[in-house]
């Protein structure tokens, strides 16, 4: 899934899955004559699924990092497979959409030293802090920058919340908490349902809007939804970003994280304590000048290049100007830090499974006797692991305009728990797409369940989010854990084992002898069933009341 920090998502949520399930009922009925035939459904099978994963996760593909031979092999493999299936190029005459990017390898000093009148705190790189820059420059730095604790680093007028009220952050470095106040106080924001304000990406964006010179996010496992090891693995590699006219000079010079232990130490040095965390929960909280300063230099290695989204199309028979979109990112982390004797980050689960699912869906639509009336666009994105870059670029430069895009169904990290009685819908309550999913799940004798850990904000962490931001209803599901044979506890153990031993590491391999892919196949068949219905209907699924994306869709429709 998305950027190292944006990923510990799906399975991590599954680990906490409780027995409370929410079965939704479809509000739309499709004539039986339009039901997908068994030939189409059967074309989604373990044999072809496994073959795609076997290739994509192989050593030959070198971890599928953009700008490497791994990208070249991956996008050409996808183009060839789509051609074999008889799909047309999805971007005019091309299967590719070029995405201009900048690759920046940030190399900060080995220690971040925070000074105060009573001493100093030293954080070691990768164990106590990580830092980088988005500035396209050979070297950047901050010198004696005052540290200010700015609570959650949020400005949210609709919640009457402004952590930057009265604060001039020019030349200063803000220290902020991860997540949003609702996690600790159900009466604030959306309670335990994380809003976009809780995402680390938002906090960097807001610090830049405020004019801060630096920003350090305090990492804490529970509100972050992932351990420090995920932060470390994501920040000791080069990072990609979209090309920007201002060379990203509008961003804070230094962006980074500090561990909770380092945060406690600097609070103590400032004569404060952990009560500051509780103070930040109070509406009207004012930023606290910590009376500390820090300096840091960062050297960079900059490369400019062009990566590619891969797009393939099945034109609609009646309303070809309308498109249902299926998406899955092809990229992973390439070759990196050696762990247990291996340096290739294969990304078998994350996200060779999703890409294989994309190809399986394309095969099913081509094999369906009843052809889709609307166009079906299959997109495999680049740069998801770097911050949803490929989907961000597509949303800015779409093949089908937002008002003609029916929905996006996104696949990221298919589960290893075999066939399950459930399937998770992240961001439950957002759109009518979940009603379609519930109807298709019912055909399989299954139910959909709401995100068991809404505080992790998984709905904002994969490529579908960039579609939602422009008003296109978007569905993101996670594999269930209630195994039909072994039960829920066994299923959760499989998810937990993956996170602890393989996630975002070279050990995320395709293990043919041990993988049970039957659940993946069931999930993809479900997504085909609901997508087939959407491809034959005339109406558009809607955002539900209360969704922050509802107004955007309605505005686009009026154009």
């Amino acid at each position: 899934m998305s950027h190292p920090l944006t990923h510990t998502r799906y399975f991590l949520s599954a680990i906490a899955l409780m027995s409370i399930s929410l079965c939704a009922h479809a509000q739309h009925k499709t004539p039986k004559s339009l039901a997908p035939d068994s030939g189409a459904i059967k074309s989604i099978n373990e044999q072809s699924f496994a073959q795609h994963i076997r290739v994509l996760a192989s050593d030959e593909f070198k971890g599928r990092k953009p700008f490497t031979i791994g990208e070249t092999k991956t996008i050409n493999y996808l183009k060839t497979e789509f051609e074999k299936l008889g799909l047309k190029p999805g971007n005019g005459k091309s299967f590719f959409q070029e995405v201009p990017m900048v690759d920046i390898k940030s190399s900060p000093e080995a220690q971040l030293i925070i000074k105060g009148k009573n001493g100093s705190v030293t954080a070691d790189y990768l164990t106590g802090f990580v830092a980088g820059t988005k500035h396209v420059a050979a070297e950047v730095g901050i010198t004696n920058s005052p540290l200010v604790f700015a609570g959650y680093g949020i400005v949210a007028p609709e919640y009457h919340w402004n952590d930057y009220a009265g604060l001039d952050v020019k030349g200063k470095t803000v220290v902020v908490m991860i997540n949003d106040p609702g996690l600790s106080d159900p009466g604030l924001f959306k309670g335990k349902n994380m809003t976009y304000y809780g995402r680390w990406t938002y906090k960097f964006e807001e610090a830049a809007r405020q004019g801060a010179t630096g920003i350090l996010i305090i990492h804490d496992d529970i509100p972050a939804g992932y351990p420090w090891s995920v932060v470390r693995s994501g920040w000791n590699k080069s990072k990609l970003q979209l090309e920007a006219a201002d060379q990203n000079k509008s961003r804070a010079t230094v962006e980074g994280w500090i561990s909770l232990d380092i945060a406690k130490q600097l609070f103590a040095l400032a004569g404060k304590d952990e009560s500051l965390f509780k103070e930040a929960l109070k509406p009207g909280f004012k930023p606290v000048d910590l009376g500390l300063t820090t300096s840091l230099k960062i050297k960079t290695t900059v490369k400019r290049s062009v990566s590619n989204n891969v797009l393939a199309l099945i034109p609609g028979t009646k309303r070809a100007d309308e498109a249902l979109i299926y998406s899955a990112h092809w990229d992973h982390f390439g070759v990196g830090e050696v762990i247990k004797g291996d340096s290739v980050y294969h990304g078998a689960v994350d996200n060779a499974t999703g890409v294989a699912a994309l190809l399986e869906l394309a095969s099913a639509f081509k094999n369906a006797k009843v052809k889709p009336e609307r166009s079906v666009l299959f997109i495999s994105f680049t740069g998801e692991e770097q911050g949803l870059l490929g989907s961000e670029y597509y949303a800015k430069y779409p093949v089908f305009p937002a008002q003609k895009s029916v929905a996006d169904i996104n696949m990221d990290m298919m589960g290893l728990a075999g066939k399950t009685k459930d399937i998770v819908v992240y961001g439950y309550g957002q759109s009518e797409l979940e009603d379609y999913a519930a109807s298709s799940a019912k055909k399989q004798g299954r139910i959909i369940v709401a995100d068991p850990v809404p505080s992790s904000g998984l709905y904002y962490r994969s490529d579908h989010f960039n579609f939602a931001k422009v008003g296109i209803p978007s569905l993101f599901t996670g594999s269930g854990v209630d195994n039909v044979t072994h039960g829920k506890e066994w299923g959760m153990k499989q998810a937990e084992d993956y996170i602890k031993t393989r996630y975002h590491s070279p050990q995320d391999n395709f293990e043919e002898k041990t993988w049970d892919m039957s659940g993946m196949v069931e999930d993809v068949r479900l997504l085909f069933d609901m997508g087939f219905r959407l491809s034959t209907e005339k109406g558009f699924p809607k955002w539900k009341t209360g969704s922050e994306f509802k107004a955007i869709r309605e505005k686009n429709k009026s154009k």
Side-chain angles (χ1 to χ4, degrees):
M1 317 187 91
S2 145
H3 181 283
L5 305 180
T6 64
H7 271 324
T8 309
R9 328 192 213 288
Y10 321 99
F11 285 111
L12 204 57
S13 285
I15 293 171
L17 192 61
M18 298 299 180
S19 60
I20 300 175
S21 53
L22 179 60
C23 183
H25 300 283
Q27 297 176 352
H28 310 272
K29 294 184 178 180
T30 301
K32 289 183 178 180
S33 60
L34 295 182
D37 57 88
S38 60
I41 287 291
K42 288 178 180 178
S43 68
I44 302 171
N45 60 76
E46 292 187 37
Q47 290 71 35
S48 53
F49 215 129
Q51 175 57 24
H52 293 312
I53 298 173
R54 185 182 300 114
V55 173
L56 292 165
S58 67
D59 284 347
E60 181 185 353
F61 278 57
K62 300 294 183 184
R64 306 189 306 278
K65 186 173 182 180
F67 296 178
T68 69
I69 187 64
E71 167 166 4
T72 303
K73 288 180 178 294
T74 301
I75 65 174
N76 285 330
Y77 177 79
L78 293 176
K79 174 178 180 291
T80 299
E81 292 302 309
F82 281 129
E83 287 177 323
K84 285 180 182 178
L85 291 170
L87 273 69
K88 296 183 179 297
N91 186 27
K93 296 181 179 181
S94 178
F95 280 95
F96 304 133
Q97 179 185 45
E98 293 188 342
V99 182
M101 291 186 184
V102 179
D103 184 293
I104 299 181
K105 176 66 170 72
S106 295
S107 300
E109 294 174 300
Q111 293 182 322
L112 176 71
I113 301 175
I114 300 162
K115 298 179 179 179
K117 62 181 181 180
N118 295 320
S120 65
V121 170
T122 299
D124 293 325
Y125 180 52
L126 296 182
T127 56
F129 88 100
V130 294
T133 185
K134 283 186 171 290
H135 289 206
V136 183
E139 183 176 318
V140 301
I142 56 178
T143 304
N144 297 323
S145 178
L147 294 185
V148 179
F149 177 62
Y152 286 93
I154 292 173
V155 177
E158 66 271 37
Y159 295 114
H160 308 291
W161 198 278
N162 187 351
D163 285 322
Y164 287 95
L167 176 62
D168 179 2
V169 293
K170 184 178 181 180
K172 298 176 182 178
T173 295
V174 292
V175 179
V176 301
M177 299 158 65
I178 192 61
N179 216 303
D180 66 41
L183 178 65
S184 299
D185 185 340
L188 298 173
F189 286 62
K190 289 186 177 180
K192 292 188 181 300
N193 290 280
M194 184 199 285
T195 65
Y196 186 50
Y197 296 115
R199 293 285 291 114
W200 62 271
T201 49
Y202 164 80
K203 295 175 191 295
F204 287 158
E205 292 165 0
E206 189 59 50
R209 282 190 286 268
Q210 296 294 326
T213 296
I215 172 172
L216 296 171
I217 299 175
I218 300 169
H219 177 269
D220 190 353
D221 285 6
I222 294 176
Y226 38 79
W228 178 261
S229 61
V230 176
V231 181
R232 174 190 172 111
S233 69
W235 286 74
N236 66 359
K237 306 177 182 71
S238 63
K239 290 177 176 293
L240 296 174
Q241 60 192 43
L242 296 181
E243 186 77 76
D246 70 345
Q247 305 301 306
N248 275 312
K249 296 294 175 61
S250 60
R251 296 291 291 240
T253 303
V254 172
E255 298 177 344
W257 295 68
I258 57 175
S259 68
L260 181 60
D261 181 61
I262 292 297
K264 291 177 180 179
Q265 289 183 49
L266 71 86
F267 280 2
L269 181 61
K272 309 294 182 180
D273 58 33
E274 295 176 49
S275 63
L276 273 183
F277 294 140
K278 293 182 179 180
E279 288 296 316
L281 278 168
K282 298 177 180 178
F285 168 78
K286 300 297 182 184
V288 177
D289 186 338
L290 297 172
L292 308 174
T293 62
T294 192
S295 302
L296 187 71
K297 290 182 180 179
I298 299 176
K299 293 182 178 181
T300 68
T301 302
V302 178
K303 298 178 183 178
R304 284 183 170 84
S305 191
V306 174
S307 188
N308 294 270
N309 291 329
V310 183
L311 296 80
L313 182 71
I314 298 177
T317 58
K318 295 183 179 180
R319 294 179 297 285
D321 61 328
E322 299 175 357
L324 167 67
I325 301 168
Y326 283 99
S327 60
H329 74 92
W330 60 255
D331 67 305
H332 201 57
F333 294 112
V335 179
E337 184 178 8
V338 177
I339 298 177
K340 296 180 181 178
D342 196 354
S343 62
V344 177
Y345 287 64
H346 303 91
V349 172
D350 185 14
N351 185 35
T353 57
V355 178
L358 197 67
L359 292 168
E360 293 293 280
L361 286 161
S363 176
F365 272 97
K366 287 298 293 185
N367 286 323
K369 293 178 181 178
V370 177
K371 302 305 178 184
E373 297 178 6
R374 287 166 159 160
S375 295
V376 184
L377 181 63
F378 302 87
I379 312 179
S380 193
F381 291 115
T382 182
E384 193 270 357
E385 298 287 8
Q386 307 293 328
L388 318 184
L389 301 182
S391 55
E392 179 184 348
Y393 189 84
Y394 178 85
K396 290 180 180 178
Y397 306 102
V399 174
F400 290 85
Q403 61 267 33
K404 290 291 187 177
S405 297
V406 178
D408 173 55
I409 299 173
N410 187 52
M411 295 158 290
D412 198 347
M413 294 174 62
M414 311 301 286
L416 299 176
K419 288 187 178 182
T420 61
K421 300 175 184 178
D422 54 357
I423 185 168
V424 177
V425 170
Y426 296 110
Y428 186 87
Q430 285 282 6
S431 79
E432 292 176 347
L433 289 176
E434 58 209 35
D435 301 330
Y436 284 84
S439 178
S440 294
K442 187 176 181 180
K443 294 178 183 179
Q444 296 179 329
R446 305 169 70 191
I447 59 172
I448 66 171
V449 296
D451 183 356
V453 189
S455 60
S456 62
L458 300 190
Y459 191 75
Y460 308 101
R461 296 187 177 191
S462 194
D463 285 315
H464 66 284
F465 178 51
N466 281 319
F467 287 92
K469 287 171 74 173
V470 295
I472 302 169
S474 303
L475 183 77
F476 182 35
T477 60
S479 297
V481 293
D482 192 0
N483 183 271
V484 296
T485 302
H486 304 291
K488 189 174 298 181
E489 185 177 348
W490 181 90
M492 289 191 290
K493 187 177 184 302
Q494 309 313 304
E496 184 177 17
D497 176 71
Y498 173 77
I499 288 296
K500 287 184 176 180
T501 63
R502 287 168 284 166
Y503 176 74
H504 280 190
S505 79
Q507 283 65 55
D508 186 3
N509 282 301
F510 179 41
E511 300 172 0
E512 297 187 55
K513 294 182 179 180
T514 60
W515 275 31
D516 180 354
M517 300 178 60
S518 60
M520 296 184 198
V521 170
E522 285 291 284
D523 287 354
V524 177
R525 288 177 173 177
L526 184 156
L527 297 179
F528 169 68
D529 185 77
M530 63 172 292
F532 184 87
R533 292 177 53 198
L534 287 163
S535 75
T536 59
E537 293 181 345
K538 292 183 179 180
F540 283 70
K542 298 179 177 62
W543 293 103
K544 294 187 175 181
T545 300
S547 170
E548 59 265 52
F549 309 111
K550 183 178 176 65
I552 302 172
R553 182 64 158 182
E554 292 173 349
K555 182 179 179 181
N556 284 337
K557 284 292 185 182
S558 66
K559 291 182 179 179

